[in-house]
Amino acid sequence: MGSLEAQNVVVIGGSRGVGRSIVEAALGEGATVLAVARSAADLNKLSWEASGVKTLSVDATEETAPDAVFDALAPDVLVISAGALAPSAPIQEQSWEVFSANWDMDVKASFLFCKAALQGRLKPGSRVVLISSGAAFSGGPPNSGGYSGAKRMQMFLAGHSQKEADRLGLGLRFMALAPARIMPGTGVGDRGIDGISAYMGIRPKDFLASMTDMQTPADVARAVVALATGKPQGSSFTVSGSGLAAAA
């Protein structure tokens, strides 16, 4: 029996990249899984390739998104993995719209779903995992706009939501998980690798050669399963090639 047998898992941003790896891991652990994304085409591809997954095309930044998602499948585990591509230009060349893209997507989606959970849309015992980034600790490169601040805010949001859930006696768990290193083969990772390499004036392969202890999307997915099925202390965690750890 899988560790998520008889559990409902909803993955926001589940059609590609890290989100898709989380979907596949949850299916492998016996869960009923709903993958949510904006792109119907990507969801159709996922349905064809991942047997048994349910899908829903929704923009997670719409105010009505939590209602639509929770009506489709009431989650025992809710994972927010949706996110915009980080900017890739020096600050002085960015507009505010470009600079704030990750606040308008990553943070807004996390806020809306955490708010809905705190308003009673999730049953006691449900777990919420926000996928953050190691850039929340390092600050990221100077050409990444508001990305690192947005990912740090997701950590704060998990912590604030946990305190509010405890105050209200809701019996919910809120956690943020930060992959420690950039990940090739994902949309965000490939965009970041190309942007950082160009900014530094080096080849992408040389940038990657400088990285150590890198995790894969599958490592992130395993960490999500561990958080969802265990009883970890704290609200913020990291995952690297060395595994899952509480955030310092």
Side-chain angles (χ1 to χ4, degrees):
M1 179 180 291
S3 63
L4 291 171
E5 197 78 29
Q7 299 275 293
N8 292 341
V9 176
V10 173
V11 184
I12 310 298
S15 64
R16 295 185 295 174
V18 169
R20 175 168 174 151
S21 289
I22 296 169
V23 165
E24 292 170 346
L27 286 170
E29 291 297 329
T32 297
V33 182
L34 174 67
V36 180
R38 282 183 291 189
S39 171
D42 287 341
L43 290 171
N44 288 338
K45 184 173 187 290
L46 174 65
S47 294
W48 182 260
E49 297 175 348
S51 177
V53 67
K54 301 176 183 294
T55 63
L56 179 67
S57 178
V58 167
D59 182 344
T61 65
E62 294 289 339
E63 295 285 338
T64 57
D67 286 338
V69 170
F70 297 157
D71 286 345
L73 186 70
D76 297 290
V77 180
L78 172 65
V79 184
I80 312 295
S81 186
L85 295 175
S88 185
I91 292 172
Q92 67 273 19
E93 297 177 10
Q94 296 179 31
S95 64
W96 174 249
E97 182 180 13
V98 170
F99 182 89
S100 63
N102 296 102
W103 287 84
D104 290 335
M105 178 62 200
D106 310 38
V107 178
K108 186 177 181 182
S110 296
F111 166 76
L112 290 175
F113 279 88
C114 286
K115 176 182 176 180
L118 292 170
Q119 289 176 329
R121 289 304 309 269
L122 298 186
K123 61 181 178 291
S126 299
R127 290 129 284 162
V128 180
V129 182
L130 311 181
I131 303 300
S132 179
S133 168
F137 300 106
S138 69
N143 65 330
S144 60
Y147 178 78
S148 56
K151 304 316 278 186
R152 185 67 173 178
M153 187 63 233
Q154 288 181 295
M155 292 185 169
F156 291 146
L157 184 58
H160 295 336
S161 296
Q162 187 61 63
K163 290 176 181 177
E164 191 64 7
D166 292 344
R167 184 181 73 85
L168 296 171
L170 298 178
L172 302 177
R173 283 283 284 126
F174 292 86
M175 296 166 278
L177 176 64
R181 302 284 185 267
I182 200 163
M183 286 179 283
T186 66
V188 172
D190 290 340
R191 166 73 172 267
I193 291 165
D194 289 344
I196 296 168
S197 299
Y199 184 81
M200 296 173 66
I202 62 175
R203 296 176 299 177
K205 69 177 184 179
D206 293 329
F207 170 73
L208 284 173
S210 71
M211 304 292 290
T212 59
D213 202 22
M214 294 174 67
Q215 77 290 326
T216 66
D219 291 328
V220 179
R222 282 190 289 270
V224 169
V225 171
L227 292 177
T229 57
K231 296 182 179 180
Q233 298 297 311
S235 62
S236 292
F237 303 85
T238 63
V239 56
S240 67
S242 299
L244 177 66

